PDB file of all heavy atoms in Angstrom:
ATOM      1  N   ASN A   1      32.236 -41.677   3.683  1.00  0.00           N
ATOM      2  CA  ASN A   1      33.321 -40.996   2.985  1.00  0.00           C
ATOM      3  C   ASN A   1      32.701 -40.139   1.889  1.00  0.00           C
ATOM      4  O   ASN A   1      31.846 -40.622   1.138  1.00  0.00           O
ATOM      5  CB  ASN A   1      34.302 -41.994   2.370  1.00  0.00           C
ATOM      6  CG  ASN A   1      35.126 -42.728   3.417  1.00  0.00           C
ATOM      7  OD1 ASN A   1      35.222 -42.285   4.563  1.00  0.00           O
ATOM      8  ND2 ASN A   1      35.718 -43.842   3.029  1.00  0.00           N
ATOM      9  N   VAL A   2      33.116 -38.875   1.824  1.00  0.00           N
ATOM     10  CA  VAL A   2      32.555 -37.947   0.843  1.00  0.00           C
ATOM     11  C   VAL A   2      33.653 -37.556  -0.134  1.00  0.00           C
ATOM     12  O   VAL A   2      34.706 -37.034   0.274  1.00  0.00           O
ATOM     13  CB  VAL A   2      31.964 -36.696   1.529  1.00  0.00           C
ATOM     14  CG1 VAL A   2      31.354 -35.770   0.481  1.00  0.00           C
ATOM     15  CG2 VAL A   2      30.917 -37.096   2.568  1.00  0.00           C
ATOM     16  N   TYR A   3      33.409 -37.824  -1.400  1.00  0.00           N
ATOM     17  CA  TYR A   3      34.394 -37.587  -2.462  1.00  0.00           C
ATOM     18  C   TYR A   3      33.964 -36.351  -3.264  1.00  0.00           C
ATOM     19  O   TYR A   3      32.906 -36.350  -3.889  1.00  0.00           O
ATOM     20  CB  TYR A   3      34.486 -38.799  -3.383  1.00  0.00           C
ATOM     21  CG  TYR A   3      34.986 -40.058  -2.704  1.00  0.00           C
ATOM     22  CD1 TYR A   3      34.151 -40.809  -1.875  1.00  0.00           C
ATOM     23  CD2 TYR A   3      36.291 -40.502  -2.892  1.00  0.00           C
ATOM     24  CE1 TYR A   3      34.604 -41.968  -1.261  1.00  0.00           C
ATOM     25  CE2 TYR A   3      36.758 -41.660  -2.274  1.00  0.00           C
ATOM     26  CZ  TYR A   3      35.898 -42.386  -1.456  1.00  0.00           C
ATOM     27  OH  TYR A   3      36.356 -43.534  -0.847  1.00  0.00           O
ATOM     28  N   HIS A   4      34.800 -35.308  -3.228  1.00  0.00           N
ATOM     29  CA  HIS A   4      34.487 -34.046  -3.906  1.00  0.00           C
ATOM     30  C   HIS A   4      35.368 -33.868  -5.137  1.00  0.00           C
ATOM     31  O   HIS A   4      36.556 -34.244  -5.121  1.00  0.00           O
ATOM     32  CB  HIS A   4      34.758 -32.853  -2.979  1.00  0.00           C
ATOM     33  CG  HIS A   4      33.980 -32.870  -1.699  1.00  0.00           C
ATOM     34  ND1 HIS A   4      32.697 -32.395  -1.606  1.00  0.00           N
ATOM     35  CD2 HIS A   4      34.324 -33.281  -0.447  1.00  0.00           C
ATOM     36  CE1 HIS A   4      32.273 -32.515  -0.356  1.00  0.00           C
ATOM     37  NE2 HIS A   4      33.240 -33.053   0.364  1.00  0.00           N
ATOM     38  N   PRO A   5      34.849 -33.236  -6.183  1.00  0.00           N
ATOM     39  CA  PRO A   5      35.742 -32.788  -7.254  1.00  0.00           C
ATOM     40  C   PRO A   5      36.695 -31.729  -6.715  1.00  0.00           C
ATOM     41  O   PRO A   5      36.308 -30.901  -5.871  1.00  0.00           O
ATOM     42  CB  PRO A   5      34.789 -32.218  -8.307  1.00  0.00           C
ATOM     43  CG  PRO A   5      33.466 -32.059  -7.640  1.00  0.00           C
ATOM     44  CD  PRO A   5      33.446 -32.900  -6.417  1.00  0.00           C
ATOM     45  N   ALA A   6      37.936 -31.764  -7.179  1.00  0.00           N
ATOM     46  CA  ALA A   6      38.958 -30.858  -6.647  1.00  0.00           C
ATOM     47  C   ALA A   6      39.736 -30.209  -7.782  1.00  0.00           C
ATOM     48  O   ALA A   6      39.840 -30.748  -8.889  1.00  0.00           O
ATOM     49  CB  ALA A   6      39.900 -31.611  -5.714  1.00  0.00           C
ATOM     50  N   ASP A   7      40.306 -29.035  -7.472  1.00  0.00           N
ATOM     51  CA  ASP A   7      41.061 -28.285  -8.470  1.00  0.00           C
ATOM     52  C   ASP A   7      42.492 -28.815  -8.569  1.00  0.00           C
ATOM     53  O   ASP A   7      42.854 -29.818  -7.938  1.00  0.00           O
ATOM     54  CB  ASP A   7      41.035 -26.791  -8.153  1.00  0.00           C
ATOM     55  CG  ASP A   7      41.619 -26.477  -6.776  1.00  0.00           C
ATOM     56  OD1 ASP A   7      42.428 -27.280  -6.254  1.00  0.00           O
ATOM     57  OD2 ASP A   7      41.270 -25.412  -6.212  1.00  0.00           O
ATOM     58  N   ALA A   8      43.316 -28.117  -9.335  1.00  0.00           N
ATOM     59  CA  ALA A   8      44.680 -28.572  -9.579  1.00  0.00           C
ATOM     60  C   ALA A   8      45.511 -28.634  -8.310  1.00  0.00           C
ATOM     61  O   ALA A   8      46.465 -29.415  -8.214  1.00  0.00           O
ATOM     62  CB  ALA A   8      45.354 -27.662 -10.609  1.00  0.00           C
ATOM     63  N   SER A   9      45.161 -27.823  -7.310  1.00  0.00           N
ATOM     64  CA  SER A   9      45.904 -27.835  -6.049  1.00  0.00           C
ATOM     65  C   SER A   9      45.410 -28.920  -5.093  1.00  0.00           C
ATOM     66  O   SER A   9      45.949 -29.082  -3.996  1.00  0.00           O
ATOM     67  CB  SER A   9      45.796 -26.469  -5.368  1.00  0.00           C
ATOM     68  OG  SER A   9      44.458 -26.232  -4.938  1.00  0.00           O
ATOM     69  N   GLY A  10      44.341 -29.636  -5.492  1.00  0.00           N
ATOM     70  CA  GLY A  10      43.811 -30.695  -4.644  1.00  0.00           C
ATOM     71  C   GLY A  10      42.726 -30.244  -3.692  1.00  0.00           C
ATOM     72  O   GLY A  10      42.236 -31.044  -2.890  1.00  0.00           O
ATOM     73  N   GLN A  11      42.312 -28.969  -3.772  1.00  0.00           N
ATOM     74  CA  GLN A  11      41.279 -28.455  -2.878  1.00  0.00           C
ATOM     75  C   GLN A  11      39.894 -28.651  -3.489  1.00  0.00           C
ATOM     76  O   GLN A  11      39.721 -28.528  -4.701  1.00  0.00           O
ATOM     77  CB  GLN A  11      41.521 -26.971  -2.607  1.00  0.00           C
ATOM     78  CG  GLN A  11      42.791 -26.698  -1.810  1.00  0.00           C
ATOM     79  CD  GLN A  11      42.790 -27.440  -0.479  1.00  0.00           C
ATOM     80  OE1 GLN A  11      41.878 -27.264   0.331  1.00  0.00           O
ATOM     81  NE2 GLN A  11      43.813 -28.255  -0.260  1.00  0.00           N
ATOM     82  N   PRO A  12      38.894 -28.934  -2.650  1.00  0.00           N
ATOM     83  CA  PRO A  12      37.543 -29.133  -3.183  1.00  0.00           C
ATOM     84  C   PRO A  12      37.016 -27.854  -3.812  1.00  0.00           C
ATOM     85  O   PRO A  12      37.290 -26.749  -3.331  1.00  0.00           O
ATOM     86  CB  PRO A  12      36.733 -29.524  -1.948  1.00  0.00           C
ATOM     87  CG  PRO A  12      37.505 -28.988  -0.779  1.00  0.00           C
ATOM     88  CD  PRO A  12      38.945 -29.082  -1.174  1.00  0.00           C
ATOM     89  N   ILE A  13      36.264 -28.010  -4.880  1.00  0.00           N
ATOM     90  CA  ILE A  13      35.732 -26.840  -5.572  1.00  0.00           C
ATOM     91  C   ILE A  13      34.653 -26.180  -4.707  1.00  0.00           C
ATOM     92  O   ILE A  13      34.047 -26.819  -3.843  1.00  0.00           O
ATOM     93  CB  ILE A  13      35.166 -27.215  -6.949  1.00  0.00           C
ATOM     94  CG1 ILE A  13      33.964 -28.174  -6.809  1.00  0.00           C
ATOM     95  CG2 ILE A  13      36.248 -27.856  -7.813  1.00  0.00           C
ATOM     96  CD1 ILE A  13      33.218 -28.429  -8.102  1.00  0.00           C
ATOM     97  N   ALA A  14      34.408 -24.907  -4.943  1.00  0.00           N
ATOM     98  CA  ALA A  14      33.433 -24.165  -4.147  1.00  0.00           C
ATOM     99  C   ALA A  14      32.010 -24.358  -4.652  1.00  0.00           C
ATOM    100  O   ALA A  14      31.050 -24.247  -3.880  1.00  0.00           O
ATOM    101  CB  ALA A  14      33.787 -22.673  -4.149  1.00  0.00           C
ATOM    102  N   GLU A  15      31.844 -24.655  -5.944  1.00  0.00           N
ATOM    103  CA  GLU A  15      30.515 -24.756  -6.513  1.00  0.00           C
ATOM    104  C   GLU A  15      29.817 -26.039  -6.042  1.00  0.00           C
ATOM    105  O   GLU A  15      30.435 -27.108  -6.004  1.00  0.00           O
ATOM    106  CB  GLU A  15      30.577 -24.768  -8.044  1.00  0.00           C
ATOM    107  CG  GLU A  15      31.170 -23.513  -8.657  1.00  0.00           C
ATOM    108  CD  GLU A  15      32.688 -23.552  -8.677  1.00  0.00           C
ATOM    109  OE1 GLU A  15      33.261 -24.627  -8.360  1.00  0.00           O
ATOM    110  OE2 GLU A  15      33.301 -22.520  -9.002  1.00  0.00           O
ATOM    111  N   PRO A  16      28.532 -25.952  -5.694  1.00  0.00           N
ATOM    112  CA  PRO A  16      27.782 -27.170  -5.352  1.00  0.00           C
ATOM    113  C   PRO A  16      27.572 -28.041  -6.580  1.00  0.00           C
ATOM    114  O   PRO A  16      27.507 -27.540  -7.715  1.00  0.00           O
ATOM    115  CB  PRO A  16      26.463 -26.636  -4.802  1.00  0.00           C
ATOM    116  CG  PRO A  16      26.325 -25.263  -5.377  1.00  0.00           C
ATOM    117  CD  PRO A  16      27.716 -24.729  -5.542  1.00  0.00           C
ATOM    118  N   THR A  17      27.485 -29.338  -6.375  1.00  0.00           N
ATOM    119  CA  THR A  17      27.332 -30.290  -7.469  1.00  0.00           C
ATOM    120  C   THR A  17      26.196 -31.262  -7.153  1.00  0.00           C
ATOM    121  O   THR A  17      25.825 -31.448  -5.990  1.00  0.00           O
ATOM    122  CB  THR A  17      28.617 -31.108  -7.670  1.00  0.00           C
ATOM    123  OG1 THR A  17      28.820 -31.946  -6.515  1.00  0.00           O
ATOM    124  CG2 THR A  17      29.830 -30.217  -7.872  1.00  0.00           C
ATOM    125  N   PRO A  18      25.647 -31.917  -8.170  1.00  0.00           N
ATOM    126  CA  PRO A  18      24.750 -33.047  -7.886  1.00  0.00           C
ATOM    127  C   PRO A  18      25.515 -34.108  -7.082  1.00  0.00           C
ATOM    128  O   PRO A  18      26.747 -34.206  -7.166  1.00  0.00           O
ATOM    129  CB  PRO A  18      24.373 -33.566  -9.273  1.00  0.00           C
ATOM    130  CG  PRO A  18      24.641 -32.429 -10.202  1.00  0.00           C
ATOM    131  CD  PRO A  18      25.805 -31.682  -9.620  1.00  0.00           C
ATOM    132  N   THR A  19      24.782 -34.909  -6.324  1.00  0.00           N
ATOM    133  CA  THR A  19      25.414 -35.835  -5.386  1.00  0.00           C
ATOM    134  C   THR A  19      24.903 -37.252  -5.613  1.00  0.00           C
ATOM    135  O   THR A  19      23.706 -37.470  -5.787  1.00  0.00           O
ATOM    136  CB  THR A  19      25.125 -35.401  -3.938  1.00  0.00           C
ATOM    137  OG1 THR A  19      25.624 -34.074  -3.755  1.00  0.00           O
ATOM    138  CG2 THR A  19      25.783 -36.330  -2.940  1.00  0.00           C
ATOM    139  N   ILE A  20      25.837 -38.206  -5.595  1.00  0.00           N
ATOM    140  CA  ILE A  20      25.521 -39.618  -5.780  1.00  0.00           C
ATOM    141  C   ILE A  20      25.758 -40.348  -4.463  1.00  0.00           C
ATOM    142  O   ILE A  20      26.845 -40.260  -3.889  1.00  0.00           O
ATOM    143  CB  ILE A  20      26.384 -40.246  -6.890  1.00  0.00           C
ATOM    144  CG1 ILE A  20      26.332 -39.402  -8.164  1.00  0.00           C
ATOM    145  CG2 ILE A  20      25.949 -41.679  -7.145  1.00  0.00           C
ATOM    146  CD1 ILE A  20      24.958 -39.219  -8.743  1.00  0.00           C
ATOM    147  N   VAL A  21      24.744 -41.061  -3.978  1.00  0.00           N
ATOM    148  CA  VAL A  21      24.820 -41.779  -2.702  1.00  0.00           C
ATOM    149  C   VAL A  21      24.896 -43.280  -2.959  1.00  0.00           C
ATOM    150  O   VAL A  21      24.158 -43.814  -3.793  1.00  0.00           O
ATOM    151  CB  VAL A  21      23.592 -41.457  -1.823  1.00  0.00           C
ATOM    152  CG1 VAL A  21      23.574 -42.328  -0.561  1.00  0.00           C
ATOM    153  CG2 VAL A  21      23.580 -39.977  -1.452  1.00  0.00           C
ATOM    154  N   ASN A  22      25.798 -43.936  -2.247  1.00  0.00           N
ATOM    155  CA  ASN A  22      25.934 -45.395  -2.294  1.00  0.00           C
ATOM    156  C   ASN A  22      25.885 -45.916  -0.866  1.00  0.00           C
ATOM    157  O   ASN A  22      26.780 -45.645  -0.070  1.00  0.00           O
ATOM    158  CB  ASN A  22      27.248 -45.782  -2.978  1.00  0.00           C
ATOM    159  CG  ASN A  22      27.416 -47.297  -3.122  1.00  0.00           C
ATOM    160  OD1 ASN A  22      26.798 -48.080  -2.400  1.00  0.00           O
ATOM    161  ND2 ASN A  22      28.280 -47.707  -4.032  1.00  0.00           N
ATOM    162  N   PHE A  23      24.821 -46.628  -0.520  1.00  0.00           N
ATOM    163  CA  PHE A  23      24.660 -47.246   0.799  1.00  0.00           C
ATOM    164  C   PHE A  23      25.193 -48.668   0.721  1.00  0.00           C
ATOM    165  O   PHE A  23      24.663 -49.478  -0.035  1.00  0.00           O
ATOM    166  CB  PHE A  23      23.181 -47.270   1.174  1.00  0.00           C
ATOM    167  CG  PHE A  23      22.843 -46.462   2.386  1.00  0.00           C
ATOM    168  CD1 PHE A  23      22.910 -45.075   2.358  1.00  0.00           C
ATOM    169  CD2 PHE A  23      22.459 -47.076   3.559  1.00  0.00           C
ATOM    170  CE1 PHE A  23      22.588 -44.321   3.460  1.00  0.00           C
ATOM    171  CE2 PHE A  23      22.137 -46.335   4.683  1.00  0.00           C
ATOM    172  CZ  PHE A  23      22.201 -44.948   4.644  1.00  0.00           C
ATOM    173  N   THR A  24      26.223 -49.008   1.480  1.00  0.00           N
ATOM    174  CA  THR A  24      26.840 -50.324   1.340  1.00  0.00           C
ATOM    175  C   THR A  24      27.005 -51.037   2.671  1.00  0.00           C
ATOM    176  O   THR A  24      27.411 -50.419   3.661  1.00  0.00           O
ATOM    177  CB  THR A  24      28.219 -50.209   0.655  1.00  0.00           C
ATOM    178  OG1 THR A  24      28.825 -51.509   0.577  1.00  0.00           O
ATOM    179  CG2 THR A  24      29.152 -49.274   1.421  1.00  0.00           C
ATOM    180  N   PRO A  25      26.724 -52.351   2.737  1.00  0.00           N
ATOM    181  CA  PRO A  25      27.036 -53.135   3.925  1.00  0.00           C
ATOM    182  C   PRO A  25      28.419 -53.771   3.835  1.00  0.00           C
ATOM    183  O   PRO A  25      28.858 -54.439   4.773  1.00  0.00           O
ATOM    184  CB  PRO A  25      25.956 -54.219   3.905  1.00  0.00           C
ATOM    185  CG  PRO A  25      25.775 -54.486   2.448  1.00  0.00           C
ATOM    186  CD  PRO A  25      25.960 -53.139   1.753  1.00  0.00           C
ATOM    187  N   TYR A  26      29.094 -53.559   2.687  1.00  0.00           N
ATOM    188  CA  TYR A  26      30.382 -54.212   2.449  1.00  0.00           C
ATOM    189  C   TYR A  26      31.555 -53.364   2.929  1.00  0.00           C
ATOM    190  O   TYR A  26      32.701 -53.649   2.595  1.00  0.00           O
ATOM    191  CB  TYR A  26      30.515 -54.543   0.958  1.00  0.00           C
ATOM    192  CG  TYR A  26      29.367 -55.373   0.449  1.00  0.00           C
ATOM    193  CD1 TYR A  26      28.522 -54.905  -0.546  1.00  0.00           C
ATOM    194  CD2 TYR A  26      29.095 -56.617   1.002  1.00  0.00           C
ATOM    195  CE1 TYR A  26      27.448 -55.654  -0.991  1.00  0.00           C
ATOM    196  CE2 TYR A  26      28.027 -57.377   0.568  1.00  0.00           C
ATOM    197  CZ  TYR A  26      27.204 -56.891  -0.428  1.00  0.00           C
ATOM    198  OH  TYR A  26      26.138 -57.640  -0.853  1.00  0.00           O
ATOM    199  N   THR A  27      31.250 -52.330   3.673  1.00  0.00           N
ATOM    200  CA  THR A  27      32.173 -51.379   4.291  1.00  0.00           C
ATOM    201  C   THR A  27      32.811 -50.446   3.266  1.00  0.00           C
ATOM    202  O   THR A  27      33.330 -50.887   2.239  1.00  0.00           O
ATOM    203  CB  THR A  27      33.293 -52.033   5.127  1.00  0.00           C
ATOM    204  OG1 THR A  27      34.364 -52.435   4.309  1.00  0.00           O
ATOM    205  CG2 THR A  27      32.778 -53.194   5.946  1.00  0.00           C
ATOM    206  N   LYS A  28      32.761 -49.185   3.567  1.00  0.00           N
ATOM    207  CA  LYS A  28      33.416 -48.195   2.718  1.00  0.00           C
ATOM    208  C   LYS A  28      34.928 -48.329   2.796  1.00  0.00           C
ATOM    209  O   LYS A  28      35.648 -47.812   1.929  1.00  0.00           O
ATOM    210  CB  LYS A  28      32.978 -46.781   3.090  1.00  0.00           C
ATOM    211  CG  LYS A  28      33.190 -46.407   4.528  1.00  0.00           C
ATOM    212  CD  LYS A  28      32.652 -45.022   4.802  1.00  0.00           C
ATOM    213  CE  LYS A  28      32.686 -44.671   6.272  1.00  0.00           C
ATOM    214  NZ  LYS A  28      33.919 -44.982   6.979  1.00  0.00           N
ATOM    215  N   LEU A  29      35.411 -49.075   3.811  1.00  0.00           N
ATOM    216  CA  LEU A  29      36.842 -49.377   3.866  1.00  0.00           C
ATOM    217  C   LEU A  29      37.233 -50.213   2.655  1.00  0.00           C
ATOM    218  O   LEU A  29      38.255 -49.962   2.009  1.00  0.00           O
ATOM    219  CB  LEU A  29      37.173 -50.119   5.160  1.00  0.00           C
ATOM    220  CG  LEU A  29      38.630 -50.558   5.344  1.00  0.00           C
ATOM    221  CD1 LEU A  29      39.548 -49.350   5.436  1.00  0.00           C
ATOM    222  CD2 LEU A  29      38.764 -51.434   6.592  1.00  0.00           C
ATOM    223  N   GLY A  30      36.400 -51.204   2.324  1.00  0.00           N
ATOM    224  CA  GLY A  30      36.660 -52.007   1.135  1.00  0.00           C
ATOM    225  C   GLY A  30      36.581 -51.179  -0.130  1.00  0.00           C
ATOM    226  O   GLY A  30      37.401 -51.330  -1.043  1.00  0.00           O
ATOM    227  N   SER A  31      35.594 -50.271  -0.198  1.00  0.00           N
ATOM    228  CA  SER A  31      35.483 -49.381  -1.355  1.00  0.00           C
ATOM    229  C   SER A  31      36.719 -48.506  -1.480  1.00  0.00           C
ATOM    230  O   SER A  31      37.223 -48.269  -2.577  1.00  0.00           O
ATOM    231  CB  SER A  31      34.236 -48.502  -1.220  1.00  0.00           C
ATOM    232  OG  SER A  31      33.072 -49.274  -1.212  1.00  0.00           O
ATOM    233  N   MET A  32      37.202 -48.025  -0.321  1.00  0.00           N
ATOM    234  CA  MET A  32      38.378 -47.156  -0.323  1.00  0.00           C
ATOM    235  C   MET A  32      39.612 -47.893  -0.828  1.00  0.00           C
ATOM    236  O   MET A  32      40.388 -47.369  -1.626  1.00  0.00           O
ATOM    237  CB  MET A  32      38.617 -46.621   1.084  1.00  0.00           C
ATOM    238  CG  MET A  32      39.812 -45.688   1.223  1.00  0.00           C
ATOM    239  SD  MET A  32      41.379 -46.558   1.587  1.00  0.00           S
ATOM    240  CE  MET A  32      41.047 -47.131   3.256  1.00  0.00           C
ATOM    241  N   ILE A  33      39.789 -49.143  -0.380  1.00  0.00           N
ATOM    242  CA  ILE A  33      40.963 -49.913  -0.798  1.00  0.00           C
ATOM    243  C   ILE A  33      40.928 -50.167  -2.306  1.00  0.00           C
ATOM    244  O   ILE A  33      41.923 -49.971  -3.009  1.00  0.00           O
ATOM    245  CB  ILE A  33      41.033 -51.232  -0.012  1.00  0.00           C
ATOM    246  CG1 ILE A  33      41.312 -50.948   1.467  1.00  0.00           C
ATOM    247  CG2 ILE A  33      42.108 -52.147  -0.590  1.00  0.00           C
ATOM    248  CD1 ILE A  33      41.200 -52.163   2.362  1.00  0.00           C
ATOM    249  N   ALA A  34      39.746 -50.611  -2.804  1.00  0.00           N
ATOM    250  CA  ALA A  34      39.623 -50.871  -4.237  1.00  0.00           C
ATOM    251  C   ALA A  34      39.802 -49.585  -5.039  1.00  0.00           C
ATOM    252  O   ALA A  34      40.488 -49.567  -6.066  1.00  0.00           O
ATOM    253  CB  ALA A  34      38.273 -51.504  -4.539  1.00  0.00           C
ATOM    254  N   ASP A  35      39.198 -48.501  -4.560  1.00  0.00           N
ATOM    255  CA  ASP A  35      39.327 -47.220  -5.252  1.00  0.00           C
ATOM    256  C   ASP A  35      40.776 -46.748  -5.271  1.00  0.00           C
ATOM    257  O   ASP A  35      41.269 -46.264  -6.291  1.00  0.00           O
ATOM    258  CB  ASP A  35      38.450 -46.173  -4.567  1.00  0.00           C
ATOM    259  CG  ASP A  35      38.761 -44.764  -5.040  1.00  0.00           C
ATOM    260  OD1 ASP A  35      38.580 -44.487  -6.240  1.00  0.00           O
ATOM    261  OD2 ASP A  35      39.216 -43.944  -4.211  1.00  0.00           O
ATOM    262  N   SER A  36      41.477 -46.908  -4.144  1.00  0.00           N
ATOM    263  CA  SER A  36      42.871 -46.466  -4.069  1.00  0.00           C
ATOM    264  C   SER A  36      43.743 -47.228  -5.055  1.00  0.00           C
ATOM    265  O   SER A  36      44.608 -46.655  -5.720  1.00  0.00           O
ATOM    266  CB  SER A  36      43.397 -46.648  -2.639  1.00  0.00           C
ATOM    267  OG  SER A  36      42.672 -45.852  -1.726  1.00  0.00           O
ATOM    268  N   ALA A  37      43.478 -48.543  -5.166  1.00  0.00           N
ATOM    269  CA  ALA A  37      44.276 -49.344  -6.096  1.00  0.00           C
ATOM    270  C   ALA A  37      44.025 -48.912  -7.535  1.00  0.00           C
ATOM    271  O   ALA A  37      44.959 -48.752  -8.327  1.00  0.00           O
ATOM    272  CB  ALA A  37      43.948 -50.819  -5.911  1.00  0.00           C
TER     273      ALA A  37
END
């Protein structure tokens, strides 16, 4: 799952940004649920 900074309309910005990688065996589904909450 790739999370981008977005503008007021919800669209991803055009400018490139530094990138943070998280390798997880606990499933990104779990990360998504916790993040959504």
Side-chain angles (χ1 to χ4, degrees):
N1 290 342
V2 182
Y3 296 77
H4 301 276
D7 59 24
S9 68
Q11 293 303 303
I13 64 171
E15 298 83 8
T17 67
T19 301
I20 309 301
V21 173
N22 183 338
F23 243 69
T24 178
Y26 305 118
T27 83
K28 56 183 173 46
L29 178 64
S31 297
M32 180 271 291
I33 293 172
D35 168 62
S36 298

